[in-house]
Amino acid sequence: MQMGSIRSGGGASNEAATGVDAGAFRGVMRQLAGCVTVISTEEEGTLYGFTATAVCSVCAEPPTILIAVNKTARTHPHIDRKGAYAVNILADGQKHIAEHFAGKGDDQFATVEYALGAHGVPLINGAAAHLECEITQRIEIGTHTLFVGHVIGTGVDAVKPLIYHDAKYGLISHL
């Protein structure tokens, strides 16, 4: 397999600068299977969340992760102002929660069981695992902000996570 190089360019469209159009890039990224998460936060007593797979471990010492959040997502400004968020790694039986938080409904937590974490961010009951984070760095990249978070709390349940691949939810029960 031949690897391409990344070319930089000023002011040109992304396709012209990199030789890859957004549709082709999305098609490749759909082949990257990942755990389904709900990123959640709180601001002034209101709870917010959205479904995401853009979560990455950065390092174990100190425990640090990052999330990529579209600047147009309605949860983005609340995460930014709160300075804290939770990553709820959904269990294989929580596809309905993933779909719920992928929608645009108001009062998203009205029908979802949760507990509040150390910084008041919602932790979804029954999730396979969760990470509570304090933001240590914000990195603006194109349409998104990377929120780098120091992990201040964790939890793991003895259930398998829900997986997302090629625009479909799946289970890892065969592993």
Side-chain angles (χ1 to χ4, degrees), residues 91-174:
D92 65 5
Q94 294 182 313
K95 175 182 171 188
H96 64 287
I97 292 176
E99 291 171 338
H100 173 74
F101 281 97
K104 302 280 186 211
D106 292 328
D107 197 7
Q108 296 170 300
F109 281 89
T111 60
V112 176
E113 292 184 31
Y114 65 91
L116 295 178
H119 282 318
V121 294
L123 308 175
I124 296 174
N125 292 355
H130 71 265
L131 299 153
E132 296 175 75
C133 303
E134 292 178 333
I135 296 172
T136 59
Q137 191 173 5
R138 294 160 174 86
I139 303 166
E140 306 281 326
I141 299 179
T143 57
H144 286 64
T145 301
L146 301 180
F147 291 104
V148 179
H150 172 69
V151 179
I152 60 163
T154 64
V156 177
D157 201 348
V159 296
K160 296 195 183 295
L162 182 64
I163 301 297
Y164 193 72
H165 173 261
D166 199 18
K168 296 179 206 87
Y169 294 101
L171 309 176
I172 63 165
S173 56
H174 67 280

Side-chain angles (χ1 to χ4, degrees), residues 29-48:
M29 294 310 295
R30 285 175 48 156
Q31 298 309 305
L32 184 63
C35 285
V36 180
T37 70
V38 170
I39 309 300
S40 60
T41 196
E42 174 276 342
E43 186 179 33
E44 297 182 4
T46 302
L47 305 178
Y48 301 91

